[in-house]
């Protein structure tokens, strides 16, 4: 039986007690008894033959031709999984389930921001994906052509992705929170031939004229977008849209005109399935390129086993946006490959009210819920009274992803949402890894709040020292690396093999993937991920590069120089803090501050706006002129300053500290 859920002061006291105890959590006997994996022997078995382990998992997919080589590692770091095999991703997500008689199973319970609903079955997807695939073909899209997708959380986004996969056209989905400028840039650098977008999107009760904004952005460029032939427009939120003759086509019209039958064509396992742009250490986003057979194998296996999924009875809900890797892998490909039933919600967690998620858990009887720590902390702020309004007893497993989860949020999630009976899987992975690599397996884990648990079977993750890349002693902090290829690993960075090697494989060689996180592995082998070691900031689970934000800020004509850092933030994990120096003649006014914020929103998206802008007359620089961000981080966090003797002008620091103090007192 679920324990009574506490709220208010009683909850606080209970969480403090649990925090003090610091104990680990075992699954209940009930959970264990029916868990897919209830034996720790799987680690040894996978370790004895890692490639064979993944080959066995690949057998769960439908292959047109079976592979000849499990892993071709003859040209590291360009690894090829399941070489010689061919398959089709959309067939594996849809057709084979329909053929197996599951056509009437619900794939998505879609819930609109305005309360409208749609029930989408596997048969519905089968019908729509074929038409959409033919519509793309009619527009001249061929295997290998890139198709951009900039859509809200509506069923069409899933259909669009699968239609691309069906014809071998890699999709390039851009998160709906990115600005039209960021979208158009990503279309340009990937030479997208078609862009699928919506007339309008719902944003907490308001409507954004998405298509108009994209048009304006394209028109503002001298050359427009030379490679882009067509914009396919989904009519949404009662939005009309300006349509340019000869370039723009309505989604519903082109689907209606398309042939209803589109056989799924077999592609090599290594065929590119999608590009997803993600932030790196420089201002230029990285086009992370994923293949097909390996990616699908890793995603299908982890979705099934990390979440202990029983497709016949579970109702799965991943609250991410499809525009991020979490959405690609665990809203679209994973659940569909496993023939799962999912909840898909269009809106934000606080719209139309702050209990909407729990209302939907009750309504759809969701059994597994997967979200980010930042969202859990927001829910904590709204209060345990919100979830208490609803019956959450259908839940049996919870997941967390995107950043380290602080033990208090873990315990709150466990007690308030999980009724103290649901295991929590804290899943570590990245856009680059394609799927979860480190996580407790819920039927066997001894879960420790704040730890992502052991590397999954077959995965070789280590914590190494910076200098030589040698494994550090258990308990010590170091760099997280992956020593062995895994099936979902990125193929390369789109059209940039050099940057791919440089970013991930230059530090310790071609056989050691540098993750970019610092971590500690405890004596039990459980990983404690600490955070990024590069200039990548994690704001509410959104990955941002400080360089990208800086370049948006310095584009403002009044700005002489800017340095951006990530500062720890109780709510969003990290927050953007910008130190800005204006050109001599400009005053540091609120108006300029607002303009700088606006510039970042326009260039990247609203989510990237600095939480704090600190005016500074000068920035700490080395004698060679390099900005020392480490010192800025120390200042912003109120830490004792590290070594300042290498600074060109050490007096800069005292001056800056005054500014930071002034800013802090304004905020109080
Ligand atoms: C970075 C990857 C994976 C989908 C969402 C983010 C951080 C991710 C965890 C976790 C601690 C985590 C890491 C990683 N991260 N999950 N469970 N515990 N940190 O994907 O945008 O590619 O970001 O997110 O720093 O490197 P992403």
């Amino acid at each position: 039986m679920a324990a009574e859920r506490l709220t208010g002061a009683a909850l606080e006291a209970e969480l403090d007690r649990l925090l003090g105890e610091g104990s680990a959590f075992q699954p209940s006997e009930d959970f264990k008894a029916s868990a897919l994996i209830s034996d720790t022997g799987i680690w040894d078995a996978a370790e004895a033959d890692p490639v064979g382990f993944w080959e066995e998992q690949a057998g769960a997919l439908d292959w047109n031709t079976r592979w000849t080589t499990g892993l071709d590692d003859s040209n590291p770091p360009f690894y090829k999984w399941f070489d010689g095999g061919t398959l089709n991703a959309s067939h594996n997500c849809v057709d084979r389930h329909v053929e197996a008689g599951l056509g009437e199973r619900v794939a998505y319970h879609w819930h609109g921001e305005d309360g409208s609903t749609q029930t989408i079955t596997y048969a519905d997807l089968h019908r729509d994906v074929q038409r959409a695939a033919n519509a793309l073909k009619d527009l001249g899209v061929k295997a290998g052509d890139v198709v951009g997708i900039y859509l809200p959380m509506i069923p069409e986004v899933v259909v669009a992705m699968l239609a691309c996969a069906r014809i071998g056209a890699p999709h390039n989905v851009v998160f709906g929170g990115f600005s039209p400028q960021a979208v158009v840039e990503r279309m340009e650098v990937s030479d997208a031939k078609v862009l699928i977008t919506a007339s309008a999107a719902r944003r907490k009760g308001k409507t954004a004229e998405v298509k108009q904004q994209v048009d304006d952005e394209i028109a503002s460029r001298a050359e427009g977008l030379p490679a882009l032939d067509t914009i396919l427009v989904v009519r949404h939120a009662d939005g009309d849209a300006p349509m340019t003759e000869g370039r723009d086509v309505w989604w519903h019209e082109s689907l209606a005109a398309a042939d209803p039958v589109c056989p799924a064509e077999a592609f090599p396992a290594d065929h590119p399935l999608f590009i997803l742009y993600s932030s790196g250490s420089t201002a230029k986003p990285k086009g992370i390129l994923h293949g097909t057979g390996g990616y699908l194998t890793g995603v299908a296996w982890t979705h099934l086993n990390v979440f202990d999924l029983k497709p016949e009875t579970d109702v799965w809900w991943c609250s991410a946006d499809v525009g991020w890797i979490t959405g690609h892998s665990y809203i679209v490909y994973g659940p569909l490959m496993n023939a799962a039933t999912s909840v898909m919600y269009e809106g934000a967690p606080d719209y139309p009210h702050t209990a909407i998620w729990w209302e939907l858990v009750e309504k759809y009887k969701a059994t597994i819920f997967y979200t980010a720590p930042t969202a859990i902390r927001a829910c904590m702020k709204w209060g345990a009274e919100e979830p208490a309004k609803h019956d959450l007893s259908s839940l049996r497993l919870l997941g967390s992803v995107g950043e380290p989860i602080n033990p208090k949020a873990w315990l709150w999630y466990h007690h308030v949402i999980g009724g103290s009976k649901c295991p929590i899987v804290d899943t570590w992975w990245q856009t680059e890894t394609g799927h979860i690599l480190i996580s407790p397996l819920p039927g066997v884990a001894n879960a420790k709040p704040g730890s992502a648990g052991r590397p999954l079977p077959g995965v070789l993750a280590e914590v190494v020292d910076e200098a030589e890349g040698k494994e550090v002693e258990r308990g010590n902090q170091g760099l997280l690396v992956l020593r062995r290829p895994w099936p979902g690993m990125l193929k390369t960075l789109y059209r940039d093999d050099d940057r791919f090697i440089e970013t991930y494989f230059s530090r310790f060689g071609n056989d050691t993937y540098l993750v970019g996180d610092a971590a500690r592995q405890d004596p039990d082998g459980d990983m404690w991920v600490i955070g990024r070691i590069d200039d990548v900031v994690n704001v509410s689970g959104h990955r941002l590069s400080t360089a990208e934000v800086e370049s948006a800020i310095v584009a403002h004509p009044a700005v002489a120089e800017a340095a951006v850092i990530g500062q720890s933030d109780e709510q969003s994990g990290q927050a953007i803090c910008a130190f800005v120096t204006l050109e001599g003649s400009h005053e540091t006014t609120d108006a300029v501050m607002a303009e700088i914020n606006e510039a970042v929103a326009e260039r990247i998206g609203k989510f990237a706006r600095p939480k704090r802008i600190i005016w500074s007359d000068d920035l700490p620089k080395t004698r060679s002129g390099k900005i020392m961000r480490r010192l800025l981080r120390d200042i912003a966090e109120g830490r004792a300053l590290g070594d300042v003797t290498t600074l060109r002008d050490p007096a800069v620091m005292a001056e800056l500290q005054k500014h930071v103090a002034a800013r802090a007192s304004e905020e109080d």
Side-chain angles (χ1 to χ4, degrees):
M1 270 316 291
E4 192 201 337
R5 289 174 165 86
L6 305 169
T7 57
L11 173 64
E12 277 300 314
E14 174 66 2
L15 294 183
D16 283 344
R17 186 186 71 76
L18 289 166
L19 267 177
E21 249 180 21
S23 26
F25 290 75
Q26 264 94 53
S28 66
E29 289 306 319
D30 266 9
F31 191 97
K32 263 200 249 176
S34 63
L36 292 179
I37 295 177
S38 53
D39 180 359
T40 52
I42 188 167
W43 272 276
D44 289 340
E47 207 46 43
D49 179 10
V51 174
F53 172 78
W54 291 117
E55 285 188 276
E56 193 184 323
Q57 313 319 332
L61 303 182
D62 255 8
W63 294 81
N64 297 65
T65 333
R66 195 185 151 93
W67 60 93
T68 48
T69 314
L71 172 66
D72 173 358
D73 55 3
S74 59
N75 182 28
F78 300 93
Y79 297 97
K80 277 188 180 177
W81 281 91
F82 311 119
D83 199 35
T86 66
L87 77 173
N88 183 286
S90 83
H91 166 86
N92 272 285
C93 287
V94 181
D95 303 41
R96 64 170 168 149
H97 305 317
V98 175
E99 287 161 14
L102 302 177
E104 292 317 304
R105 180 174 294 177
V106 175
Y108 296 98
H109 293 291
W110 181 82
H111 198 97
E113 189 190 272
D114 62 347
S116 61
T117 60
Q118 284 184 52
T119 306
I120 294 129
T121 64
Y122 280 88
D124 292 335
L125 285 178
H126 194 225
R127 182 195 62 222
D128 292 350
V129 168
Q130 293 192 73
R131 282 193 181 271
N134 277 330
L136 289 173
K137 279 190 183 171
D138 293 343
L139 292 169
V141 178
K142 297 195 172 51
D145 289 343
V146 174
V147 174
I149 298 179
Y150 181 46
L151 286 171
M153 285 283 287
I154 54 178
E156 286 85 349
V157 74
V158 179
V159 173
M161 289 164 75
L162 295 176
C164 291
R166 198 167 189 87
I167 63 171
H171 51 70
N172 174 7
V173 180
V174 183
F175 166 54
F178 274 111
S179 67
Q181 196 177 331
V183 175
V184 169
E185 196 177 280
R186 282 158 172 72
M187 295 306 115
E188 186 176 36
V189 292
S190 64
D191 276 337
K193 197 162 176 169
V194 172
L195 170 63
I196 307 176
T197 189
S199 55
R202 296 193 182 108
R203 306 250 165 91
K204 297 200 195 189
K206 299 202 185 94
T207 347
E209 311 275 308
V210 177
K211 169 64 167 52
Q212 176 73 65
Q213 292 169 3
V214 170
D215 276 4
D216 292 348
E217 183 55 40
I218 297 174
S220 75
R221 305 184 156 225
E223 294 97 52
L225 274 180
L228 190 80
D229 295 336
T230 311
I231 302 184
L232 201 48
V233 188
V234 177
R235 192 192 289 283
H236 184 60
D238 303 322
D240 211 345
M243 300 292 277
T244 301
E245 185 71 37
R247 185 196 66 182
D248 302 346
V249 185
W250 285 107
W251 168 269
H252 60 273
E253 287 178 4
S254 65
L255 260 68
D259 193 318
V261 180
C262 178
E265 204 185 316
F267 294 100
D270 202 39
H271 189 81
L273 182 60
F274 64 86
I275 310 172
L276 188 55
Y277 281 87
S278 185
S279 296
S281 292
T282 70
K284 200 174 142 227
K286 303 185 285 199
I288 290 164
L289 185 69
H290 278 286
T292 305
Y295 170 81
L296 293 180
T297 298
V299 171
W301 188 83
T302 52
H303 183 247
L304 198 70
N305 292 288
V306 171
F307 299 105
D308 189 50
L309 181 84
K310 316 284 168 26
E312 296 76 30
T313 47
D314 275 318
V315 176
W316 162 257
W317 185 4
C318 165
S319 78
D321 189 282
V322 301
W324 303 106
I325 191 69
T326 310
H328 281 56
S329 299
Y330 299 110
I331 293 177
V332 181
Y333 290 108
L336 293 179
M337 274 187 294
N338 289 319
T341 295
S342 302
V343 174
M344 183 174 179
Y345 178 50
E346 181 187 23
D350 58 350
Y351 189 87
H353 54 76
T354 48
I356 182 68
W357 277 4
W358 320 121
E359 182 185 323
L360 298 183
V361 165
E362 177 174 355
K363 174 169 180 177
Y364 296 107
K365 301 204 166 28
T367 58
I368 314 175
F369 185 65
Y370 189 34
T371 194
T374 185
I376 298 165
R377 289 192 297 268
C379 293
M380 289 168 77
K381 202 175 71 192
W382 299 327
E385 294 74 13
E386 293 297 284
K389 292 175 186 162
H390 294 282
D391 177 5
L392 307 182
S393 60
S394 56
L395 290 171
R396 64 177 197 90
L397 178 67
L398 302 172
S400 170
V401 61
E403 51 174 317
I405 179 166
N406 47 309
K408 186 154 186 191
W410 195 103
L411 292 167
W412 190 94
Y413 196 29
H414 188 253
H415 181 81
V416 177
I417 305 304
S420 303
K421 65 162 185 169
C422 304
I424 296 182
V425 288
D426 175 359
T427 64
W428 178 91
W429 56 298
Q430 309 179 296
T431 308
E432 291 88 339
T433 69
H435 52 82
I436 298 165
L437 291 186
I438 305 177
S439 168
L441 288 177
V444 293
N446 183 33
K448 301 168 189 161
S451 166
R454 287 177 70 173
L456 292 180
V459 173
L460 186 53
E462 274 177 16
V463 177
V464 303
D465 69 71
E466 299 203 12
E468 289 176 75
K470 292 228 170 67
E471 192 166 16
V472 300
E473 227 173 280
R474 290 273 165 102
N476 290 347
Q477 184 174 326
L479 305 181
L480 184 61
V481 296
L482 298 163
R483 293 280 201 200
R484 179 194 286 158
W486 63 96
M489 75 187 288
L490 73 165
K491 275 165 57 77
T492 186
L493 295 178
Y494 191 57
R495 292 180 177 165
D496 205 345
D497 288 347
D498 291 345
R499 191 176 178 196
F500 168 67
I501 296 172
E502 167 64 29
T503 308
Y504 308 106
F505 295 98
S506 62
R507 186 125 177 198
F508 301 123
N510 279 343
D511 54 359
T512 302
Y513 171 92
L514 181 73
V515 159
D517 284 356
R520 183 167 61 76
Q521 191 166 26
D522 70 19
D524 301 333
D526 290 318
M527 288 287 184
W528 298 76
V529 177
I530 292 151
R532 303 287 310 188
I533 52 160
D534 49 12
D535 292 319
V536 169
V537 181
N538 190 329
V539 180
S540 301
H542 297 160
R543 179 159 153 185
L544 281 165
S545 112
T546 54
E548 218 173 327
V549 180
E550 279 165 14
S551 89
I553 295 177
V554 297
H556 188 286
V559 174
E561 199 170 41
V564 165
I565 57 155
Q567 185 179 7
S568 32
D569 186 90
E570 213 174 298
Q571 177 53 50
S572 58
Q574 284 187 298
I576 294 284
C577 172
F579 292 83
V580 178
T581 310
L582 295 184
E583 298 273 3
S585 56
H586 290 273
E587 297 273 338
T588 56
T589 60
D590 287 351
V592 179
M593 203 180 274
E595 282 170 27
I596 289 174
N597 270 306
E598 188 45 35
V600 175
E602 255 179 44
R603 182 73 192 69
I604 306 172
K606 283 190 181 144
F607 66 91
R609 286 178 302 193
K611 176 156 184 183
R612 225 168 260 109
I613 292 178
I614 296 169
W615 301 122
S616 43
D617 313 320
D618 202 354
L619 294 167
K621 288 188 194 132
T622 60
R623 286 188 192 95
S624 61
K626 197 168 171 278
I627 297 174
M628 292 189 71
R629 286 185 182 70
R630 178 177 57 79
L631 291 177
L632 293 174
R633 278 193 287 267
D634 287 346
I635 282 203
E637 307 275 3
R639 281 194 295 257
L641 294 182
D643 185 10
V644 296
T645 53
T646 53
L647 286 182
R648 189 165 55 193
D649 176 7
V652 168
M653 294 308 290
E655 197 56 34
L656 265 178
Q657 267 172 323
K658 270 193 236 155
H659 286 283
V660 173
R663 188 75 182 81
S665 68
E666 273 169 40
E667 283 168 17
D668 282 344

